[in-house]
């Protein structure tokens, strides 16, 4: 890889594994890694090299969010990038933290300090919501960590200070605060294919099963590890079917956790510097299970 620091990853429809790093966008075809970097003399290259967010849309285009706020769309047919710069009401750099496509093909963009954007690709139009001195209660926080759409087409937004629900009919106040806790940032949301009406929620203080229909929250216990800092801070979740068993992989800032939902067995994988076959770091930023069953 072009950098040892990987911020995000995904597997696309054709099977390529993509890694967003601090030194370019990397594509792995199973044999070799191809690196895409910014070329100052080529406007069809990626806008910058520090990649923080990745998403594949319904048409197979790859959307890339960068540290400096450049939104990129990669066309796999032409191998070219199209760029957009997000507008801001402040002079601060806009850091893109998350990208998501909803069922209407809108692209949602979460940022570090500048709130939430929605890009209507058909109209080439951006909507923008953020807390300001004039409207401090619009979002629960301007640090957006994750966005997801449930089976009823509701949009849920995870923030540094809670969980918001998007209600487009309420133009003056389109967000409803469902969970509000400044001491427990929510890091990650993903829909479950194992359990109906379930969104897995990763937060600073653990893993939760969230029911978006009844708006109920259930905490899932993780295997304890004495004196392991941030062992319950969950950054990412992925599901795997293995031999008729349902496996939940949980990335934490205190190692990788495997939960067998069928048998109830749990295991935490840690880096102890005793064995080269151990996980490379206890700080997990993102994880996926690819279509061959390999956990990245």
């Amino acid at each position: 890889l072009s950098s040892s620091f990987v911020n995000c990853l995904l597997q696309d429809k054709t099977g390529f594994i993509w890694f967003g790093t601090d030194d370019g966008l990397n594509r792995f075809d199973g044999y070799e890694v191809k690196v895409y970097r910014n070329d100052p003399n080529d406007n069809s290259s990626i806008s910058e090299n520090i990649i923080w967010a990745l998403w594949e849309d319904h048409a197979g285009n790859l959307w890339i969010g960068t540290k400096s706020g450049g939104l990129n769309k990669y066309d796999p047919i032409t191998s070219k990038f199209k760029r957009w710069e997000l507008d801001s009401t402040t002079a601060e750099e806009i850091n893109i933290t998350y990208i998501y496509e909803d069922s209407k093909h809108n692209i949602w963009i979460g940022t570090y300090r500048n709130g939430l954007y929605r890009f209507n690709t058909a109209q080439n139009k951006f909507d923008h919501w953020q807390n300001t001195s004039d409207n401090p209660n619009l979002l629960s926080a301007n640090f957006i960590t994750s966005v997801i759409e449930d089976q009823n087409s509701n949009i849920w937004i995870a923030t540094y200070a809670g969980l918001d629900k998007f209600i487009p009919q309420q133009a003056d106040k389109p967000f409803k605060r469902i969970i509000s806790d400044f001491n427990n940032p929510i890091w990650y949301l993903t829909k479950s294919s194992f359990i109906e009406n379930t969104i897995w929620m990763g937060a600073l203080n653990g893993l939760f099963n969230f029911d978006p229909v009844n708006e109920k929250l259930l905490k899932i216990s993780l295997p304890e590890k004495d004196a392991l800092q941030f062992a319950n801070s969950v950054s990412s979740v992925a599901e795997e079917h293995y031999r008729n068993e349902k496996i939940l992989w949980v990335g934490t800032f205190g190692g990788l956790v495997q939960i067998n939902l069928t048998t109830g067995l749990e295991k935490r994988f840690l880096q102890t510097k005793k064995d080269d076959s151990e996980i490379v770091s206890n700080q997990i930023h993102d994880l996926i299970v690819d279509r061959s069953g390999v956990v990245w």
Side-chain angles (χ1 to χ4, degrees):
L1 293 177
S2 60
S3 170
S4 61
F5 201 91
V6 177
N7 301 303
C8 50
L9 66 161
L10 66 78
Q11 183 177 35
D12 69 19
K13 293 179 174 65
T14 59
F16 291 127
I17 306 291
W18 294 85
F19 303 88
T21 78
D22 278 357
D23 186 28
L25 177 64
N26 294 236
R27 188 191 72 184
F28 181 54
D29 63 7
Y31 300 96
E32 297 178 332
V33 174
K34 181 176 181 179
V35 182
Y36 299 84
R37 292 189 179 93
N38 172 256
D39 180 349
N41 299 314
D42 183 1
N43 289 332
S44 68
S45 68
I46 196 167
S47 63
E48 78 151 294
N49 297 329
I50 303 178
I51 312 302
W52 276 16
L54 293 172
W55 190 268
E56 185 184 24
D57 69 17
H58 69 286
N61 299 301
L62 195 67
W63 293 84
I64 305 107
T66 68
K67 179 180 180 294
S68 64
L71 176 67
N72 295 254
K73 182 176 77 169
Y74 172 75
D75 185 336
I77 305 300
T78 63
S79 292
K80 294 184 182 298
F81 294 83
K82 187 174 181 180
R83 310 173 183 176
W84 294 265
E85 290 295 327
L86 301 181
D87 290 331
S88 174
T89 56
T90 71
E92 292 181 335
E93 182 179 74
I94 303 177
N95 312 131
I96 295 178
T97 54
Y98 201 78
I99 300 175
Y100 181 82
E101 183 190 35
D102 67 21
S103 59
K104 297 178 181 177
H105 308 321
N106 294 306
I107 302 296
W108 295 81
I109 304 131
T111 70
Y112 178 66
R113 286 178 295 234
N114 282 272
L116 181 68
Y117 294 78
R118 181 181 62 185
F119 181 37
N120 184 318
T121 55
Q123 299 178 7
N124 199 40
K125 175 190 173 186
F126 285 91
D127 295 303
H128 181 208
W129 300 274
Q130 67 178 145
N131 284 338
T132 63
S133 57
D134 296 331
N135 196 349
N137 297 314
L138 188 60
L139 284 164
S140 58
N142 283 330
F143 181 179
I144 311 298
T145 55
S146 195
V147 180
I148 199 166
E149 182 178 21
D150 67 22
Q151 67 273 18
N152 295 318
S153 299
N154 296 306
I155 302 294
W156 299 87
I157 303 98
T159 81
Y160 199 82
L163 180 70
D164 295 345
K165 180 180 181 180
F166 179 65
I167 306 174
Q169 297 82 7
Q170 299 178 188
D172 57 333
K173 192 177 180 183
F175 298 95
K176 176 185 177 183
R177 296 188 185 184
I178 305 301
I179 301 170
S180 184
D181 186 353
F182 286 89
N183 296 314
N184 185 32
I186 299 171
W187 302 128
Y188 188 78
L189 302 172
T190 188
K191 281 188 291 189
S192 174
S193 64
F194 292 164
I195 308 171
E196 189 177 3
N197 294 330
T198 291
I199 293 174
W200 296 115
M201 178 187 297
L204 178 65
N205 71 349
L207 173 66
F208 296 86
N209 171 328
F210 176 67
D211 178 350
V213 176
N214 299 304
E215 299 181 359
K216 296 291 180 69
L217 201 63
L218 176 67
K219 189 168 185 178
I220 308 299
S221 65
L222 298 178
E224 295 295 330
K225 198 70 178 180
D226 293 339
L228 185 61
Q229 192 175 26
F230 306 124
N232 286 318
S233 185
V234 175
S235 64
S236 45
V237 181
E239 296 177 336
E240 177 188 15
H241 285 276
Y242 180 72
R243 295 179 180 175
N244 297 320
E245 296 179 348
K246 296 177 178 179
I247 309 296
L248 199 64
W249 292 93
V250 183
T252 80
F253 294 109
L256 177 66
V257 174
Q258 182 192 55
I259 302 174
N260 190 317
L261 298 176
T262 305
T263 66
L265 294 177
E266 300 176 339
K267 183 176 182 179
R268 188 183 291 267
F269 298 88
L270 293 170
Q271 204 280 333
T272 64
K273 299 182 180 179
K274 295 179 181 179
D275 189 338
D276 289 340
S277 67
E278 294 176 336
I279 194 167
V280 71
S281 170
N282 288 332
Q283 187 169 335
I284 312 298
H285 289 270
D286 200 3
L287 67 89
I288 60 170
V289 180
D290 71 21
R291 289 192 284 279
S292 66
V294 175
V295 180
W296 296 80

